[in-house]
Amino acid sequence: MRIGVLTAGGDCPGLNAVIRSVVHRAVAQYGDEVIGFEDGFAGLLDGHYRSLDLEAVSGILARGGTILGSSRLERNRLREACESAPDIARDFGIDALIPIGGEGTLTAARMLSDAGLPVVGVPKTIDNDISSTDRTFGFDTAVGVATEAMDRLKTTAESHQRVMVVEVMGRHAGWIALESGMAAGAHGICLPERPFDPADLVKMVEERFARGKKFAVICVAEGAHPADGSMDYGKGEIDQFGHERFQGIGTALAFELERRLGKEAKPVILGHVQRGGTPTAYDRVLATRFGWHAVEAAHQGEFGRMTALRGTDIVMVPLAEAVTELKTVPKDRMDEAESVF
Ligand code: F6P
């Protein structure tokens, strides 16, 4: 078999572990040939690829980022790809394509699959917002980075009697904010799923100071919004990939809290630091298992599906099912952390 692999969308720790696992399983077990398309679907459309043998993937298990490069696909290029989907497999001589990506990539994968390309998807995103899989690799690493950052911010916040507003990633789903906020013992958590009122945060900080706890850490997801009329904060325009351009809720909220409290409030934007660096052991294992199962699925002709974690098992689910809706934080998970909302 000849298998093509690519990584698309925002990178995330564990991508290289999947690539390595695909190559190991395909080459060592089946004697397959594997090629890697460069910079996501752009490599597929422009014919930029390279051969991936065991030597090419040696030493990459613990490396962050992706050795293949990644990019987001503009909508018009996706249409172009779908039109030429039947030719792509023939042109490159591939029997299967394994795209590794998040919601956008899996949607593209589904469209390409419907258009006739033999596709087996692998989900990834630090946001953990892909439905049909209990976890995506990259999430554990991001939560660890954000938790460590808040642990560190607590000690300096306490020294200076400050409020720290820590903005973490999470466009539509607040999983990173929820879990890192819980792990770090943040005093407030704001998620995209539930508009927040800055007045509640002001009350919480004032109560803490009155009890002699003269600092606070508030974890806010980048996609969180204040409740209507509670604070001046606009919605951003939509970019060419269909994503809202955020206005910087961490900075806006810190400014608002400082104004209302008369105490220093500092914004800390963690940004892409959450996506960089080496994956945790958990993410390396999950990524490796996904790669192994993707190759098995290709050999069994299970196309139009993606790998997913269900409990402790890896199963194959239809791509169509995976991209119908995002997995957002349900109310019961927020209730468990109620004291900090
Ligand atoms: O989807 C993953 C993600 O990291 C989001 O949390 C974040 O909003 C987005 O990607 C950032 O993307 P970019 O790298 O294009 O700035």
Side-chain angles (χ1 to χ4, degrees):
M1 215 175 196
R2 192 169 206 237
I3 297 176
V5 60
L6 62 84
T7 51
D11 73 342
C12 104
L15 287 170
N16 285 327
V18 183
I19 297 168
R20 171 181 173 274
S21 176
V22 165
V23 172
H24 275 241
R25 186 70 183 157
V27 173
Q29 173 68 24
Y30 292 107
D32 292 340
E33 191 189 343
V34 182
I35 58 171
F37 292 99
E38 290 168 4
D39 304 324
F41 287 107
L44 188 72
L45 289 172
D46 301 335
H48 294 154
Y49 66 90
R50 63 182 191 266
S51 172
L52 293 176
D53 56 13
L54 293 175
E55 185 51 34
V57 296
S58 170
I60 66 169
L61 175 60
R63 201 190 302 169
T66 160
I67 58 164
L68 292 175
S70 190
S71 64
R72 296 192 193 278
L73 193 64
E74 286 169 30
R75 285 169 179 193
N76 56 344
R77 293 222 76 195
L78 177 58
R79 273 193 292 276
E80 192 189 315
C82 286
E83 277 156 25
S84 54
D87 305 327
I88 290 176
R90 201 193 48 235
D91 290 353
F92 297 111
I94 52 172
D95 306 293
L97 176 71
I98 301 180
I100 311 164
E103 186 218 351
T105 302
L106 295 171
T107 302
R110 185 204 166 177
M111 290 166 72
L112 288 169
S113 168
D114 290 349
L117 202 64
V119 171
V120 177
V122 173
K124 67 92 224 178
T125 166
I126 65 163
D127 293 354
N128 197 38
D129 60 359
I130 308 287
S131 56
S132 305
T133 183
D134 290 351
R135 285 256 159 161
T136 47
F137 61 86
F139 173 64
D140 188 65
T141 306
V143 168
V145 169
T147 302
E148 192 197 336
M150 280 183 271
D151 286 348
R152 289 176 181 280
L153 288 165
K154 272 187 170 177
T155 62
T156 173
E158 190 165 17
S159 306
H160 293 271
Q161 306 197 354
R162 283 173 174 153
V163 177
M164 295 289 183
V165 179
V166 184
E167 184 185 299
V168 298
M169 281 186 168
R171 181 167 275 286
H172 305 289
W175 291 106
I176 298 175
L178 178 80
E179 295 214 353
S180 65
M182 285 177 84
H187 309 108
I189 300 177
C190 306
L191 307 182
E193 290 85 350
R194 181 186 284 183
F196 67 91
D197 188 337
D200 295 334
L201 297 168
V202 166
K203 189 163 165 270
M204 176 275 291
V205 175
E206 278 172 344
E207 282 172 4
R208 279 184 61 74
F209 273 67
R211 279 188 285 120
K213 301 279 187 195
K214 296 189 183 300
F215 73 101
V217 172
I218 295 167
C219 182
V220 53
E222 63 185 348
H225 279 273
D228 283 346
S230 65
M231 172 183 147
D232 227 10
Y233 185 70
K235 276 214 180 265
E237 319 156 352
I238 303 298
D239 69 15
Q240 78 264 43
F241 305 108
H243 293 155
E244 182 188 346
R245 274 189 221 280
F246 291 128
Q247 311 294 292
I249 187 64
T251 306
L253 180 58
F255 183 79
E256 184 74 11
L257 292 179
E258 184 162 299
R259 190 180 66 75
R260 294 197 195 189
L261 285 160
K263 302 183 196 309
E264 263 192 301
K266 299 272 185 193
V268 178
I269 317 299
L270 293 186
H272 293 83
V273 75
Q274 295 159 93
R275 282 200 343 217
T278 189
T280 59
Y282 179 92
D283 283 339
R284 293 179 204 181
V285 172
L286 181 58
T288 300
R289 294 182 73 199
F290 276 176
W292 193 98
H293 283 270
V295 172
E296 292 304 301
H299 275 272
Q300 276 148 37
E302 287 198 60
F303 298 118
R305 300 166 89 80
M306 71 162 205
T307 58
L309 179 70
R310 292 275 170 86
T312 54
D313 295 334
I314 307 293
V315 298
M316 299 305 298
V317 298
L319 280 167
E321 193 183 297
V323 296
T324 43
E325 60 176 337
L326 279 181
K327 183 179 67 190
T328 51
V329 177
K331 184 179 171 304
D332 60 334
R333 289 300 309 270
M334 292 190 234
D335 290 347
E336 289 167 1
E338 194 160 61
S339 57
V340 291
F341 277 96

